[in-house]
Amino acid sequence: MSDTKVLKLVPKSKVKVADAPAPAAENQTPAARPTAVTPIEAPATAKSQPASQGVSPDISSPGAQTGAAVAVKPSRAPEQRGQREKNERERPRLSREEMLAMYRTMYLSRRIDDKEIQLKNQNKIFFQISGAGHEAVLVAAGLVLRPGYDWFYPYYRDRALCLQLGMTPLEQFLSAVGAADDPNSHGRQMPSHWGHKKLNIVSQSSPTGTQLLQAVGCAEAGYRFKLIRELRKRSSNFHKDEVVYVSLGDGTSSEGEFWEALNTACNLKLPVLFLVEDNGYAISVPVEVQTAGGDVSRLVKNFPNLFLQRCDGTDVLESLAVMKRAVQYCREHRGPALVHAKVIRPYSHSLSDDEKLYRPDEERTADAERDPVKRFGAVLIDEKVTDQDGLQKIKDEVDALVNVAADQALASPQPEPETIEQFVYSPDVDPTSSAFDNEASAELTGNAGTMVDLINRCLHVEMARDARIVVFGEDVADCSREEFLEKVKGKGGVFKVTANLQRKFGSARVFNSPLAEANIVGRAIGMATRGLKPVVEIQFFDYIWPAMHQIRNELALMRWRSGGDWKAPVVMRVPVGGYLKGGAVYHSQSGVSTFTQIPGLRVIYPSNALDANGLLRTAIRCDDPVLFLEHKHLYRQAYNKSQYPPDEFMIPFGKAKVVREGTDLSIITYGALVQRSLVAAKQAEQQGISVEVVDLRSLQPYDWAAITATVQKTNRVIVAHEDSLSFGYGAEIAARISDQLFEHLDAPVRRVAATDTFVAYAPRLEDAILPQVADVLGAITDLQRY
């Protein structure tokens, strides 16, 4: 469709040249001013704004402008009369240069999409997903937000936003070709998975909606920094009026994490700007199938403290007015804002999709008539901001720029194969090193305490040492209503592990969460990204599954997928396991192998109080995400009590412990099976069998050297664990022993584990399902006879 035809579809706007330029906003420094698109040769920074690219409008306060300005009435009014009148009063006042710069960025975004489509059809890149049809509202968002100052959690349609913030065309093409110099992911993710350290664009992933809770956690980090007195002088990267931007499509508003994010953002009045880019389709599923009533803003209108705005997201001027109000609301600490922008999707969902299969021609034609790039070009000509020749000059410059950037990206080197293992874990802090090992010299003092006591002591010591540590989860606080703290004993967790932490360190650092596990982990990731150290609790391992998206696809992957630019060293404390008599199906699970197979995640499983203290301290002080499993049955057992170690006591990850020496046979185990193995070993000794018991303590990483040593010593080995036998954790250990230590074996590797069922409520059934001492003893005698 030509620009001339579109021009006839756009109502003529009233133009009035301002008598004098309005003053720039006082609270916006030049360094924080929104940037225009930078040339491909220059690195993107928060300060770069070449004159050749035009001037971005300074619109952080009503009426602010630069140079001679035109006041343009939005070409498409909102649905509600009140909002239409408000847009009229607060219509943007922009110079001609500013309006041309906006058009330039919108057109540049579209041309990069088109060039990528061409490259994909030529098999020069491998995937393409466009931001076409979303350019207007995204450029508006980029103009009112501050790169390197505010924080950004975009989704894959946000190409124009990233360009407006300062990402260059070359940087976007580097992502498309998977180049090593790609600042988004260094060749590790698909194109349009945005991330840029200098611009505060946090690494984005493919799962829709997982960024929402992280954005809330990012904003909450600023909220916590203001409340924690010890951190106020250390908050150089926090700003009093910062805003966290997060965007999503209409389909993602169906995700539960969208509602969890809104709930917490509204509850804490966090400065989060939610932008719903509603193009009417989630791949092929229309919005009325996704959303009750087909309008998500109607569903959220009763959220308290939420500033709700609607706009035609294909009209850049209307979008600008609405986005400015929303950002101002957030900067004033009044709460979150949600902008529901109606946009279009003129191309298929991606090049892997063909929208002609489910969208009729008339619907696609109607969308094309609202194309934001063509509409704004028509407005510029109609309002005499420029003419066809001026518009064509911009297009020619952009087309040349895009071609040069694409050629440079295609010539850029790919990442070297040897880099694949970089950034799976922290390159700076090694929790397996001797720096974390003072176990041998530790002097124990005081009365013996249970595992609960020593974990609690560790949390107290570490929170006193590091003010960045925040503890939250379901029921972890002593009492959320602080006015009752002096009247009640306090909860402190369902197992009392976090008792008195809130009393000691205050509600800014120890607080309860909603009953929503994804909410806990997602917020923790956002906080950790900003420098806090969340130590969160998932109340029962059985209920960790709602957080699996956040753990598997976000927490463990953040560092690797961003090439080391971002990290999230969160500690997740999780009560686990059975042997409870009454725990049944949903309080007895032990599916650790699900987590040990996730690269980037440390998995720790102590069997006694002293190890729990030292390993938890290492978990808190290391720089990786850690799943810290605490067996519920072991919390208060007398046999695993210990006196208290020093405040610096640490046990390194990946260091097993021989808890019983033996010569005939080895048992490799962990958790509750350690004690059962020790009892079985003592009984076997009465039959003349000398059994060595090795407690792994750390499951990822595990101590292969210790396993090798015990197999070479005894030549017979049993792997015992509480998880199900088939596909359980022991299968990996057994397979590796058979593969690499076969010549040292005098018998097959045996496994002792739970049955391939769930754990039942009736005690007789539980005893039959979970491995008992008799099961371990039976395996010992059978293997010895082999």
Side-chain angles (χ1 to χ4, degrees):
M1 184 175 292
S2 68
D3 288 342
T4 304
K5 184 175 181 181
V6 174
L7 176 60
K8 296 177 181 178
L9 300 170
V10 181
K12 184 174 181 180
S13 300
K14 297 179 180 179
V15 179
K16 182 165 54 180
V17 179
D19 296 331
E26 296 179 0
N27 66 339
Q28 186 167 339
T29 63
R33 191 183 303 274
T35 62
V37 180
T38 55
I40 59 175
E41 295 84 1
T45 68
K47 297 183 180 181
S48 58
Q49 186 173 332
S52 64
Q53 299 297 316
V55 181
S56 296
D58 184 356
I59 53 172
S60 56
S61 65
Q65 61 175 346
T66 58
V70 289
V72 183
K73 183 177 180 179
S75 59
R76 184 178 176 89
E79 296 174 7
Q80 293 87 354
R81 181 175 180 180
Q83 187 161 333
R84 183 188 309 124
E85 294 172 350
K86 193 172 185 65
N87 281 349
E88 171 68 19
R89 293 194 304 271
E90 298 184 10
R91 60 185 182 271
R93 300 172 61 85
L94 305 170
S95 72
R96 289 177 172 83
E97 290 76 13
E98 290 166 348
M99 294 177 70
L100 292 174
M102 291 162 61
Y103 175 81
R104 187 183 192 283
T105 305
M106 292 170 62
Y107 181 76
L108 175 62
S109 179
R110 183 67 60 86
R111 291 300 295 130
I112 294 175
D113 271 329
D114 292 340
K115 187 65 175 181
E116 285 188 355
I117 292 171
Q118 180 189 55
L119 294 174
K120 175 65 171 66
N121 290 334
Q122 296 171 345
N123 293 319
K124 293 180 179 179
I125 67 173
F126 322 107
F127 180 79
Q128 206 281 334
I129 190 165
S130 82
H134 294 230
E135 297 94 345
V137 71
L138 291 171
V139 167
L143 287 170
V144 295
L145 293 163
R146 308 174 188 176
Y149 185 98
D150 295 320
W151 290 79
F152 301 91
Y153 287 80
Y155 91 118
Y156 46 80
R157 304 279 184 214
D158 284 16
R159 181 186 303 281
L161 170 78
C162 295
L163 289 169
Q164 185 61 50
L165 293 176
M167 191 179 291
T168 68
L170 175 58
E171 289 174 329
Q172 295 200 352
F173 280 120
L174 289 172
S175 175
V177 303
D181 290 337
D182 160 35
N184 296 274
S185 75
H186 304 278
R188 296 185 172 196
Q189 291 210 90
M190 287 176 167
S192 299
H193 286 48
W194 311 113
H196 203 294
K197 186 70 172 178
K198 292 181 180 178
L199 301 175
N200 285 355
I201 302 173
V202 181
S203 173
Q204 177 209 326
S205 68
S206 291
T208 56
T210 49
Q211 76 275 21
L212 292 157
L213 286 167
Q214 294 170 40
V216 170
C218 178
E220 187 176 357
Y223 168 78
R224 301 284 166 195
F225 258 84
K226 294 172 187 176
L227 296 176
I228 301 171
R229 184 180 59 219
E230 299 90 339
L231 294 181
R232 290 174 186 168
K233 294 182 180 179
R234 298 167 58 182
S235 55
S236 58
N237 67 329
F238 289 85
H239 307 284
K240 292 182 179 179
D241 63 344
E242 67 185 22
V243 173
V244 178
Y245 163 98
V246 62
S247 59
L248 63 149
D250 49 286
T252 298
S253 69
S254 299
E255 295 277 1
E257 293 185 19
F258 167 68
W259 300 92
E260 293 180 25
L262 273 181
N263 182 48
T264 295
C266 292
N267 203 21
L268 298 179
K269 297 179 67 174
L270 299 175
V272 181
L273 171 59
F274 296 88
L275 174 60
V276 179
E277 300 169 40
D278 183 353
N279 61 32
Y281 277 94
I283 307 185
S284 68
V285 182
V287 66
E288 71 273 12
V289 176
Q290 291 280 347
T291 305
D295 187 343
V296 68
S297 56
R298 291 183 182 177
L299 302 184
V300 304
K301 65 182 180 180
N302 288 327
F303 271 85
N305 306 314
L306 180 66
F307 183 61
L308 178 61
Q309 293 282 282
R310 300 169 60 95
C311 70
D312 179 354
T314 67
D315 186 327
V316 67
L317 300 173
E318 179 182 325
S319 297
L320 195 55
V322 169
M323 294 301 295
K324 182 171 69 173
R325 288 199 298 271
V327 170
Q328 184 174 341
Y329 181 88
C330 293
R331 293 207 194 281
E332 292 173 354
H333 306 291
R334 298 165 66 186
L338 186 144
V339 174
H340 184 184
K342 299 287 286 187
V343 295
I344 62 168
R345 198 190 75 189
Y347 300 167
S348 295
H349 169 74
S350 72
L351 288 192
S352 302
D353 171 53
D354 181 2
E355 67 172 11
K356 293 179 182 178
L357 298 175
Y358 51 87
R359 297 188 72 187
D361 289 342
E362 58 268 28
E363 184 178 276
R364 296 169 60 244
T365 300
D367 266 9
E369 292 174 351
R370 296 179 57 225
D371 188 301
V373 179
K374 294 180 179 179
R375 286 188 71 187
F376 192 43
V379 168
L380 294 177
I381 293 172
D382 193 39
E383 306 294 0
K384 299 185 178 5
V385 175
T386 188
D387 56 18
Q388 284 283 7
D389 290 339
L391 215 58
Q392 190 60 47
K393 182 179 179 182
I394 293 175
K395 293 179 180 180
D396 291 344
E397 291 174 352
V398 168
D399 289 347
L401 181 68
V402 166
N403 288 331
V404 171
D407 289 343
Q408 289 183 350
L410 288 168
S412 298
Q414 297 276 296
E416 295 297 331
E418 57 266 25
T419 65
I420 58 176
E421 294 185 359
Q422 292 179 356
F423 307 115
V424 175
Y425 299 102
S426 172
D428 305 314
V429 181
D430 182 4
T432 70
S433 69
S434 59
F436 289 87
D437 190 355
N438 54 25
E439 183 178 13
S441 61
E443 294 184 6
L444 307 182
T445 59
N447 296 325
T450 64
M451 184 183 283
V452 167
D453 296 329
L454 268 70
I455 292 174
N456 183 268
R457 169 71 71 88
C458 179
L459 290 170
H460 270 88
V461 169
E462 291 303 296
M463 291 190 74
R465 174 183 175 271
D466 187 352
R468 299 177 306 125
I469 297 173
V470 291
V471 172
F472 64 100
E474 299 162 24
D475 297 303
V476 301
D478 293 306
C479 183
S480 286
R481 293 174 176 168
E482 290 184 284
E483 65 271 24
F484 297 154
L485 268 176
E486 300 306 317
K487 301 179 181 179
V488 297
K489 185 176 180 180
K491 183 75 175 177
V494 295
F495 297 103
K496 307 297 291 182
V497 179
T498 55
N500 295 315
L501 289 177
Q502 181 193 7
R503 293 183 191 274
K504 178 71 178 293
F505 299 103
S507 299
R509 297 182 62 192
V510 183
F511 49 94
N512 286 327
S513 73
L515 200 159
E517 288 74 19
N519 179 285
I520 296 169
V521 178
R523 287 163 64 192
I525 295 171
M527 292 183 200
T529 300
R530 299 294 303 277
L532 290 179
K533 184 71 180 188
V535 181
V536 301
E537 179 180 302
I538 302 296
Q539 195 166 87
F540 290 94
F541 181 89
D542 315 71
Y543 305 136
I544 200 170
W545 311 112
M548 199 61 186
H549 241 339
Q550 291 292 340
I551 296 170
R552 171 61 177 82
N553 290 322
E554 302 297 328
L555 179 64
L557 266 168
M558 180 69 75
R559 191 194 306 270
W560 189 87
R561 77 181 189 216
S562 67
D565 288 344
W566 300 99
K567 62 181 181 179
V570 174
V571 178
M572 298 174 290
R573 292 184 39 259
V574 186
V576 67
Y579 301 108
L580 297 177
K581 291 296 181 287
V585 181
Y586 299 107
H587 293 79
S588 305
Q589 295 178 25
S590 299
V592 297
S593 59
T594 303
F595 296 90
T596 53
Q597 65 176 292
I598 300 175
L601 182 67
R602 309 284 193 181
V603 182
I604 310 302
Y605 203 145
S607 66
N608 58 76
L610 184 62
D611 288 356
N613 182 282
L615 288 167
L616 180 58
R617 183 168 288 105
T618 299
I620 292 171
R621 296 191 187 186
C622 87
D623 200 33
D624 296 315
V626 179
L627 179 65
F628 194 84
L629 299 171
E630 303 166 4
H631 202 293
K632 302 185 293 291
H633 177 72
L634 302 179
Y635 266 152
R636 290 181 171 84
Q637 294 295 335
Y639 58 75
N640 69 16
K641 284 185 174 183
S642 171
Q643 292 180 287
Y644 289 86
D647 290 349
E648 295 296 314
F649 176 66
M650 288 182 287
I651 298 172
F653 294 168
K655 181 184 177 182
K657 184 175 183 179
V658 178
V659 293
R660 177 186 171 90
E661 296 281 354
T663 57
D664 296 330
L665 184 148
S666 300
I667 299 177
I668 299 167
T669 187
Y670 61 87
L673 263 294
V674 173
Q675 179 64 18
R676 281 161 177 74
S677 297
L678 287 171
V679 174
K682 289 180 181 179
Q683 294 177 3
E685 188 175 29
Q686 297 174 5
Q687 302 177 29
I689 306 172
S690 175
V691 178
E692 183 157 291
V693 179
V694 179
D695 181 359
L696 287 176
R697 305 195 290 190
S698 174
L699 305 186
Q700 177 58 285
Y702 61 86
D703 192 343
W704 178 243
I707 293 171
T708 300
T710 193
V711 171
Q712 291 176 344
K713 178 180 179 181
T714 69
N715 310 117
R716 285 177 168 83
V717 61
I718 295 170
V719 183
H721 60 75
E722 188 178 338
D723 205 356
S724 297
L725 179 68
S726 297
F727 314 108
Y729 182 79
E732 163 63 20
I733 305 299
R736 190 172 179 187
I737 292 171
S738 298
D739 180 39
Q740 299 183 23
L741 301 175
F742 181 76
E743 66 274 19
H744 299 286
L745 293 173
D746 291 338
V749 179
R750 287 289 302 272
R751 287 176 289 157
V752 176
T755 58
D756 292 342
T757 67
F758 305 101
V759 179
Y761 175 75
R764 286 188 66 193
L765 293 181
E766 182 188 69
D767 288 346
I769 291 165
L770 296 179
Q772 306 297 330
V773 171
D775 299 311
V776 180
L777 180 61
I780 292 172
T781 55
D782 287 349
L783 196 60
Q784 183 64 18
R785 286 195 299 264
Y786 183 87

